[in-house]
Amino acid sequence: MTGKKNQFLLMRLLILSCSLNPASRSAQLAQLALTDGLAAGHDVELITVASLNLPLCDGNAAYNHPMVGELTAKIREADGIIFTLPIYNYHVNAAAKNLLELTGDGWTGKVVGFICAAGGQGSYMSVMPFANSLMLDFRCVIIPRFVYATESEFADEQLSEDGELRRRLRGVTKDVAAFAEALQGLTG
């Protein structure tokens, strides 16, 4: 043994872009997370919630929608999941909560990271109720850092080429993969 830590394994990462606006800031952040995950050699899939036409969770018939079963299976098969979320009115958007309610069976023991886009600094802790639900209901492991990007990091609705933001994005992607590898077989 050389004493060097092996390079981490390639993980199956799922990026859930939860904005219903395909040109949103959080959708831009999802694309960057995809690029970073692929550059690191991981098996990464980006799912855009707006393209799924998911039903609203009604606690009954909505669970039988074919897309719900397919999405739940993808979540179940992922080693780690990154949510990219818009923050509206001091909370994650309703589409993210609906997705979680519909696919709850797939979340048990998942490693989860967050990348958020918001208008200002005032709601930087807005993911915590959502993260608490994932931890308490599904025993998910939440990465202890997340990206919170405000409108100041976007110029003319485009992400600025800010090295600091890119470094933070890569950090979340790297952490989700590293936590997922370290916890393989221990969660779920």
Side-chain angles (χ1 to χ4, degrees):
M1 184 139 214
T2 65
K4 287 185 178 180
K5 186 179 187 302
N6 291 336
Q7 182 68 11
F8 58 89
L9 298 172
L10 301 182
M11 296 283 106
R12 287 180 317 254
L13 302 179
L14 187 59
I15 300 170
L16 298 172
S17 180
C18 293
S19 178
L20 299 181
N21 174 359
S24 73
R25 294 175 184 147
S26 63
Q28 292 177 51
L29 294 170
Q31 286 295 326
L32 288 173
L34 174 66
T35 300
D36 290 342
L38 292 172
H42 299 296
D43 176 10
V44 187
E45 181 177 0
L46 171 61
I47 295 177
T48 304
V49 173
S51 68
L52 299 179
N53 197 25
L54 290 172
L56 289 176
C57 185
D58 62 3
N60 188 18
Y63 299 119
N64 297 324
H65 188 281
M67 186 53 66
V68 170
E70 183 179 325
L71 185 56
T72 302
K74 287 181 184 236
I75 291 166
R76 188 176 289 119
E77 293 165 6
D79 295 312
I81 299 169
I82 299 171
F83 274 101
T84 61
L85 303 159
I87 303 299
Y88 300 139
N89 299 315
Y90 300 96
H91 208 299
V92 302
N93 70 333
K97 180 133 177 21
N98 187 58
L99 179 148
L100 179 60
E101 290 172 346
L102 289 170
T103 59
D105 290 347
W107 287 95
T108 302
K110 294 298 169 193
V111 173
V112 179
F114 293 100
I115 297 172
C116 306
Q121 293 292 335
S123 54
Y124 70 95
M125 292 183 63
S126 57
V127 298
M128 294 314 298
F130 194 70
N132 284 338
S133 177
L134 286 161
M135 287 187 296
L136 296 172
D137 292 342
F138 306 109
R139 296 178 305 286
C140 291
V141 174
I142 305 300
I143 300 303
R145 83 159 109 184
F146 57 92
V147 171
Y148 184 87
T150 64
E151 65 185 350
S152 66
E153 295 171 282
F154 294 81
D156 297 323
E157 296 302 314
Q158 294 298 313
L159 183 65
S160 67
E161 290 301 316
D162 180 324
E164 174 62 18
L165 179 59
R166 288 305 307 266
R167 184 191 65 73
R168 292 179 1 227
L169 284 165
R170 281 190 295 275
V172 168
T173 304
K174 180 181 172 188
D175 284 357
V176 168
F179 273 65
E181 178 190 357
L183 296 172
Q184 274 192 329
L186 298 176
T187 60

